[in-house]
């Protein structure tokens, strides 16, 4: 699903102009990105939570050259789905 699909669905559901909904979606996504950059946790009840986790430094082999490379510490995005979303996904697959 693309951002424009979300905008279309919300604008149809709320009978609002797509431009207004698009601005609102942009503001929500920017706010979430800013919170994650500050390493704050985002919790959306009934959906899940987003958090930033730090990956440990590691040493790995470059498959192309065969050389060993050091990969430094880095932050990654982690998503944990809510119990209700998890149950809904499990029921749909059965």
């Amino acid at each position: 699903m693309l951002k424009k699909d979300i905008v279309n669905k919300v604008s149809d559901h709320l009978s609002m102009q797509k431009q207004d909904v698009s601005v609102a979606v942009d503001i929500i996504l920017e706010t979430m990105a800013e919170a994650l950059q500050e390493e704050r946790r985002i919790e959306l009840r009934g959906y899940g939570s987003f958090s930033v986790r730090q990956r440990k430094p590691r040493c790995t082999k470059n498959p192309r050259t065969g050389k060993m490379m050091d990969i430094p510490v880095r932050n990654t995005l982690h998503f944990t789905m809510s119990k209700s979303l998890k149950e809904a996904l499990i029921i749909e697959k059965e």
Side-chain angles (χ1 to χ4, degrees), residues 38-84:
E38 295 169 2
E39 296 187 18
R40 292 176 26 212
R41 186 173 181 267
I42 299 170
E43 183 177 332
L44 303 171
R45 302 258 171 160
Y47 184 73
S49 63
F50 298 89
S51 60
V52 176
R53 291 197 177 168
Q54 199 172 61
R55 293 189 70 180
K56 295 178 183 177
R58 59 192 171 103
C59 192
T60 188
K61 188 175 177 181
N62 183 332
R64 185 175 290 177
T65 63
K67 283 184 167 179
M68 292 304 285
M69 301 174 20
D70 289 325
I71 298 177
V73 173
R74 64 179 173 171
N75 291 334
T76 60
L77 180 64
H78 179 75
F79 175 74
T80 304
M81 71 177 91
S82 70
K83 184 178 178 182
S84 58

Side-chain angles (χ1 to χ4, degrees), residues 1-43:
M1 178 176 247
L2 300 174
K3 184 176 123 181
K4 95 175 167 182
D5 298 328
I6 294 170
V7 169
N8 289 337
K9 186 127 182 155
V10 171
S11 68
D12 291 343
H13 187 74
L14 297 177
S15 301
M16 293 177 66
Q17 290 185 0
K18 290 180 184 177
Q19 291 174 332
D20 296 336
V21 174
S22 180
V23 169
V25 170
D26 287 339
I27 291 169
I28 291 168
L29 294 175
E30 287 172 18
T31 304
M32 290 176 69
E34 288 170 5
L36 291 168
Q37 288 171 353
E38 295 169 2
E39 296 187 18
R40 292 176 26 212
R41 186 173 181 267
I42 299 170
E43 183 177 332

